[in-house]
Amino acid sequence: MSETTQHHDSEYDPAASSLQGQVDPEVMQELLHIRSSIDNIDAALLNMLAERFKCTQRVGWLKARHQLPASDPGRETAQIARLHRLAEEAHLDPVFAEKFLNFIIDEVIRHHEAISETHAAESNR
């Protein structure tokens, strides 16, 4: 674990809640137990996003080396349709899934544009 992660984890109190003392202790324990699972899922999601962005960085460098555009509208449309189907199968709101993917795609495109600019500047040296 990195020093930054350790620092932030040491400040994190998994029992932090404005409900402490206001609800039945058994209810609070169950709430904290469920929240612990949520915290684990959040950590997994962040790690998966980090891995995804490592892959998209590689795509960005490949695109830059071959002067390909930062975005690929055909791929993006196919991915959104795929995510809609997966969201429905998972009983997740497809509109939310699309917003989430669009947020990620926008960030990836921003990274690809930056990589392309960096590559062009290095090529001009």
Side-chain angles (χ1 to χ4, degrees), residues 30-88:
E30 184 176 359
L31 182 62
L32 293 175
H33 178 74
I34 296 167
R35 285 179 175 172
S36 175
S37 293
I38 292 168
D39 291 350
N40 289 338
I41 294 166
D42 288 347
L45 282 170
L46 288 175
N47 284 315
M48 291 175 71
L49 279 172
E51 286 302 312
R52 188 186 194 288
F53 276 100
K54 285 177 189 174
C55 292
T56 60
Q57 292 286 75
R58 290 174 54 203
V59 167
W61 283 105
L62 183 64
K63 286 180 172 182
R65 277 195 307 273
H66 297 280
Q67 293 84 41
L68 300 172
S71 68
D72 184 344
R75 163 80 174 161
E76 293 157 22
T77 299
Q79 279 292 87
I80 289 169
R82 177 177 169 266
L83 221 64
H84 264 264
R85 182 180 44 78
L86 291 172
E88 287 170 354

Side-chain angles (χ1 to χ4, degrees), residues 96-114:
F96 168 76
E98 183 175 344
K99 287 178 185 176
F100 181 71
L101 184 62
N102 280 328
F103 178 76
I104 291 171
I105 289 170
D106 290 346
E107 188 66 10
V108 168
I109 290 170
R110 190 178 69 75
H111 288 186
H112 288 184
E113 289 169 345

